Amino acid sequence: MRLVLLRHAATAGNEEHRYVGMRTDEPLSRRGVEQCARFGTCTDVDKVYVSPMLRARQTAELCFPRARILPVPGLEEFDFGDFEGRTPDQMEHDAAYRTWVDGNCEGQCPGGESLKDFVRRTKDALFGLLRAANKRGEERVVVVAHGGTIMAALDGFYNKHVGNCEGYEGTVRFEGDIAILCDDFVIRG
């Protein structure tokens, strides 16, 4: 099976370098719509699985205009809790933020989730989707989600960063009911 993981196009919060997680359901910015136009339209995709967030749905609708859009709970971005909507500069003297950053952003955000919980949520949603798609005989699965979701799915939260309207494509193989991401994932966008 081929898997395409595409990050949504830009939002105002992305452009302002804000923590835009699962609590901020903002639309694409003008720049985001332009990114989708540059990405192009894929008319040979019949379904796209998306994060339920508006920015992911809009990206899917623009890039895959003939596809059925199927929201998948669990693929939402990280829950930044009290840090949501704020920039790093705004929080440079915030003790809770400094503690989280100094802990490699692995601890729980106040009022939000921990990296461990986020990765588990993301992988449960994605691998459940992949198992179901495999049972239906789908040969290609397209997912439009978030940068953090993609990094969590690819086991490299900090070393698999993708820009807006970029992503990865690679192979998923199955051993029984277990989905295994192969090491051939390459940048796409």
Side-chain angles (χ1 to χ4, degrees):
M1 169 188 295
R2 295 297 288 172
L3 172 62
V4 175
L5 297 168
L6 180 67
R7 182 181 179 193
H8 64 81
T11 67
N14 296 145
E15 293 170 13
E16 296 164 359
H17 305 288
R18 297 182 180 283
Y19 284 96
V20 179
M22 71 183 307
R23 296 173 183 228
T24 304
D25 201 16
E26 63 185 8
L28 298 181
S29 63
R30 179 181 307 180
R31 181 171 164 243
V33 172
E34 291 168 357
Q35 288 172 332
C36 289
R38 279 193 304 280
F39 180 86
T41 56
C42 298
T43 57
D44 65 337
V45 174
D46 64 341
K47 66 176 86 162
V48 177
Y49 300 95
V50 300
S51 157
M53 306 297 294
L54 178 61
R55 55 198 182 264
R57 294 191 325 266
Q58 287 180 321
T59 300
E61 290 165 357
L62 292 169
C63 293
F64 306 95
R66 294 188 182 160
R68 197 169 38 149
I69 307 300
L70 303 167
V72 179
L75 293 180
E76 298 90 350
E77 181 60 277
F78 190 85
D79 183 351
F80 292 107
D82 295 350
F83 307 147
E84 183 78 19
R86 298 165 68 193
T87 67
D89 289 344
Q90 290 172 329
M91 297 184 286
E92 73 178 302
H93 300 294
D94 181 320
Y97 176 72
R98 293 296 342 142
T99 298
W100 182 65
V101 170
D102 292 344
N104 204 27
C105 304
E106 293 180 8
Q108 184 167 349
C109 290
E113 65 188 331
S114 69
L115 178 58
K116 181 179 176 182
D117 290 340
F118 171 61
V119 170
R120 183 176 331 125
R121 170 174 59 81
T122 297
K123 285 190 170 193
D124 286 351
L126 179 63
F127 285 90
L129 158 67
L130 292 173
R131 282 190 298 276
N134 186 53
K135 287 180 182 174
R136 289 189 295 272
E138 295 179 34
E139 294 181 11
R140 177 173 59 176
V141 171
V142 177
V143 175
V144 178
H146 309 275
T149 305
I150 292 169
M151 291 184 283
L154 295 178
D155 278 330
F157 195 78
Y158 290 105
N159 64 4
K160 297 283 188 190
H161 178 76
V162 290
N164 291 109
C165 216
E166 294 180 348
Y168 286 91
E169 182 174 0
T171 305
V172 178
R173 66 181 174 82
F174 288 85
E175 291 182 6
D177 202 32
I178 306 294
I180 300 167
L181 301 181
C182 299
D183 63 359
D184 66 342
F185 276 79
V186 294
I187 196 83
R188 176 187 173 128

